[in-house]
Amino acid sequence: MAMANNKTQCFTCNIEKITYLCDGCSKRFCLTHLPEHQQLLNEELSHIANEYNEFKQIINEQKQNLQNHSLIKQIDQWETNSIEIIQQKAQNCRDIAIKYSRRFITDIENKLNDLNEQIKEIHQENEFNEINLNYLKNQLIEIIEELINLSNISIQKDTQSFINEISIISSIKPKFNKWKQNAITVAGGNDSGQELNQFRCPTGIFIDKKKNVFIADSLNHRIVEWKYNAKEGQIIAGENRYGNQMDQLSCPADVIYDQQNHSIIIADQGNRRVIRWMNKSQQILVHNIDCNGLAVDKNGFLYVSDREKNEVRRWKMGEYNEGIVVAGGNGQGSKLDQLNLPCSIFVDEDQSVYVSDEKNDRVMKWRKDAKEGRVVAGGNGRGENLNQLFAPGGVIVDYLSQIYVVDWGNERVMRWCEEKGEYEIVVGENGQGNQSNQLKGPFDLSFDDEGNLYVADCSNYRIQKFEVVL
């Protein structure tokens, strides 16, 4: 019997041999030339990786020099040639231009990070072909083209007025999100209790990039991590029940997850301390403080609201002395330099501090180094009208200076546009209740990277996710 001939021609040497198919180019190579082909693919991948690194450097340089953008220089010239009464307008336009650019570059960075992860994965698996490489090339080209579109931002002037009015116009249209009114319960929702699928008064929440939810389960004296799509949570701090020992908590009010070093910072309110947990070890950061809200800015400074002293203080990470008062600190009251039970806080890119001023039914904004704040939401007395708040809680500000605030007493989440003075109900228009379109005693809010809105629905013992409408 004749032996079957399973030899085919090698693409490189054109000799009949036992060959192997490359899925990417659909060509066959012998054992001698297959490694050579693989080496060429490796070199191509390295080339793409080098292009990625070069482009990432450009992004970093532009990010560090946003203040030198030609738009900013035009605004500076306009301000120089104008009188004092329009200087505030110049600053507002400057802020908007930077926020547009920053948001755009952040989006580009996120896409670059995703592309980098794909490159790393292909490197590690060592199983790739021309199809994979062409896909990576096209992705990089698309990202580069997106950066070029940043030049579509320009200045619009009104030549009819004595002083030319300016504003920012852009082909990058701002996105005013809407959310589905029927929420999905992503954590809890199984009545009050201390089981791993239950809460007793969830107050503070933090969403990481993987959509895992970190919850300050206040009356269970613990911090729970509820992984994405999980049926129950896991205790990551406070598993030793209520107490004042280093490994115990007492009524934690808020939590921040530090995604760089995988640690959590907790407002351990009942123990009057701010404490960091990392790998089962603990470190007290701030002592003797009636802590409620936490925030960390882009420079790593820690901000804490103190309800007893009616102030917000800032600390440099690693230097926990007396800290610096950045809001309030002038006794309890309703003046612009005072607070009355400060609750949640948010710090923007310019280190301006937004504070939910609970008993004054308003949200205050304190610019960096300011001696007093200004009212940016509420401040029209306690009530349920659209221009009023009732004991505001969690607060977040987006890149368009839109302020999202939990209106605790009115069982809703509001959106206030600082620039236009407009306000609207985001979710919770259906009154108090436990249905999917209702809230009961909401405390805090957060967003994931896709823009979905999460609310700590405290008195319903659950975390609600309102999906963004695309």
Side-chain angles (χ1 to χ4, degrees):
M1 175 183 287
M3 182 179 296
N5 184 6
N6 59 355
K7 296 182 179 180
T8 55
Q9 191 176 67
C10 171
F11 177 79
T12 301
C13 62
N14 296 322
I15 298 174
E16 294 280 339
K17 295 182 178 180
I18 296 176
T19 58
Y20 301 88
L21 179 67
C22 173
D23 292 332
C25 63
S26 298
K27 297 170 183 174
R28 303 189 71 89
F29 299 89
C30 66
L31 278 175
T32 300
H33 296 104
L34 183 61
E36 294 179 2
H37 181 64
Q38 187 66 39
Q39 179 61 31
L40 289 175
L41 296 179
N42 279 324
E43 291 173 0
E44 187 71 18
L45 178 60
S46 296
H47 181 69
I48 295 173
N50 290 336
E51 287 186 342
Y52 162 83
N53 291 330
E54 291 174 2
F55 185 62
K56 187 66 166 61
Q57 180 63 32
I58 294 173
I59 288 291
N60 290 336
E61 291 173 358
Q62 292 202 13
K63 186 177 180 181
Q64 295 299 320
N65 293 285
L66 288 174
Q67 289 286 351
N68 295 326
H69 197 284
S70 61
L71 287 173
I72 308 304
K73 293 180 179 179
Q74 292 179 59
I75 295 169
D76 288 342
Q77 186 62 49
W78 175 86
E79 182 181 17
T80 301
N81 297 334
S82 302
I83 58 177
E84 185 177 358
I85 61 173
I86 64 172
Q87 288 182 341
Q88 183 59 50
K89 179 67 175 179
Q91 183 62 45
N92 290 340
C93 289
R94 208 175 282 122
D95 290 344
I96 293 171
I98 291 174
K99 286 171 182 173
Y100 270 129
S101 302
R102 183 181 288 123
R103 176 57 183 266
F104 183 80
I105 289 177
T106 298
D107 290 341
I108 292 290
E109 282 186 310
N110 289 336
K111 292 180 180 179
L112 282 174
N113 290 335
D114 290 340
L115 184 60
N116 189 35
E117 290 300 321
Q118 294 179 57
I119 293 173
K120 288 181 179 178
E121 183 177 347
I122 290 176
H123 258 310
Q124 292 171 354
E125 294 180 356
N126 200 28
E127 293 180 8
F128 53 92
N129 51 51
E130 284 83 357
I131 295 174
N132 304 127
L133 299 179
N134 286 334
Y135 170 77
L136 294 176
K137 283 182 182 177
N138 292 333
Q139 289 292 302
L140 190 57
I141 290 171
E142 288 178 12
I143 296 173
I144 293 171
E145 290 176 351
E146 281 192 53
L147 181 65
I148 295 173
N149 290 334
L150 186 61
S151 62
N152 290 336
I153 305 175
S154 60
I155 299 294
Q156 177 175 280
K157 294 183 179 181
D158 182 1
T159 57
Q160 300 301 313
S161 60
F162 174 72
I163 298 171
N164 291 337
E165 188 79 10
I166 69 170
S167 59
I168 300 297
I169 59 173
S170 172
S171 61
I172 308 169
K173 299 299 181 183
K175 186 176 181 181
F176 300 96
N177 287 339
K178 297 290 183 182
W179 290 267
K180 296 179 181 178
Q181 295 302 298
N182 291 298
I184 301 169
T185 299
V186 295
N190 298 298
D191 295 325
S192 176
Q194 57 186 358
E195 300 299 325
L196 291 179
N197 66 346
Q198 293 178 310
F199 298 119
R200 290 177 62 215
C201 194
T203 52
I205 56 174
F206 183 95
I207 316 297
D208 72 7
K209 292 184 178 181
K210 297 180 180 179
K211 298 187 180 65
N212 301 320
V213 187
F214 296 79
I215 306 111
D217 188 10
S218 183
L219 296 186
N220 276 326
H221 314 291
R222 65 190 186 185
I223 304 298
V224 175
E225 180 184 3
W226 202 293
K227 292 192 178 295
Y228 181 61
N229 281 339
K231 299 301 182 184
E232 63 180 30
Q234 60 185 67
I235 302 171
I236 57 174
E239 60 186 349
N240 294 305
R241 306 293 184 182
Y242 166 82
N244 60 8
Q245 301 301 311
M246 287 293 287
D247 61 352
Q248 294 178 311
L249 298 173
S250 174
C251 298
D254 201 4
V255 60
I256 293 176
Y257 175 56
D258 187 335
Q259 300 181 79
Q260 287 189 333
N261 58 32
H262 305 291
S263 68
I264 54 174
I265 301 173
I266 306 166
D268 190 11
Q269 188 168 16
N271 286 320
R272 298 178 59 82
R273 65 191 183 187
V274 177
I275 188 167
R276 183 204 295 273
W277 285 55
M278 181 189 298
N279 298 326
K280 299 295 184 179
S281 64
Q282 301 83 35
Q283 176 193 7
I284 296 177
L285 305 183
V286 183
H287 296 265
N288 192 29
I289 182 170
D290 187 11
C291 49
N292 188 270
L294 301 174
V296 175
D297 69 17
K298 65 179 182 180
N299 298 315
F301 287 93
L302 173 66
Y303 299 72
V304 186
S305 62
D306 187 334
R307 291 167 73 82
E308 181 179 67
K309 295 182 178 179
N310 293 291
E311 64 185 20
V312 178
R313 284 184 181 263
R314 181 184 72 205
W315 285 266
K316 184 177 181 180
M317 285 290 193
E319 298 180 8
Y320 299 106
N321 40 40
E322 292 300 314
I324 300 173
V325 176
V326 294
N330 296 296
Q332 184 183 85
S334 59
K335 296 179 181 178
L336 293 180
D337 65 348
Q338 294 179 309
L339 299 169
N340 191 348
L341 286 187
C343 184
S344 295
I345 50 180
F346 176 87
V347 183
D348 68 13
E349 294 282 350
D350 302 316
Q351 292 184 301
S352 294
V353 180
Y354 295 77
V355 188
S356 288
D357 193 9
E358 184 179 319
K359 289 295 184 180
N360 285 324
D361 303 298
R362 66 189 184 184
V363 176
M364 300 292 291
K365 177 182 179 180
W366 290 64
R367 287 189 178 275
K368 185 180 179 182
D369 300 325
K371 299 302 181 183
E372 64 178 33
R374 64 187 179 92
V375 181
V376 292
N380 299 303
R382 175 167 291 186
E384 60 183 14
N385 294 325
L386 290 181
N387 68 340
Q388 294 178 306
L389 295 171
F390 184 161
V395 60
I396 290 178
V397 183
D398 69 13
Y399 76 106
L400 294 174
S401 296
Q402 296 178 117
I403 301 160
Y404 296 83
V405 56
V406 172
D407 192 7
W408 177 83
N410 289 317
E411 323 287 347
R412 65 192 184 185
V413 176
M414 300 292 294
R415 173 165 57 190
W416 290 63
C417 182
E418 181 183 351
E419 300 297 330
K420 298 182 179 179
E422 298 174 350
Y423 22 83
E424 63 178 328
I425 299 173
V426 174
V427 296
E429 294 186 80
N430 302 293
Q432 184 183 99
N434 60 7
Q435 301 301 308
S436 63
N437 63 353
Q438 294 178 309
L439 299 169
K440 185 179 179 183
F443 256 80
D444 199 9
L445 78 165
S446 187
F447 292 95
D448 64 24
D449 288 345
E450 295 177 358
N452 299 306
L453 169 63
Y454 297 73
V455 179
D457 193 12
C458 181
S459 297
N460 281 322
Y461 320 111
R462 65 188 183 183
I463 308 301
Q464 295 291 85
K465 174 184 175 181
F466 295 87
E467 294 183 317
V468 65
V469 178
L470 300 177

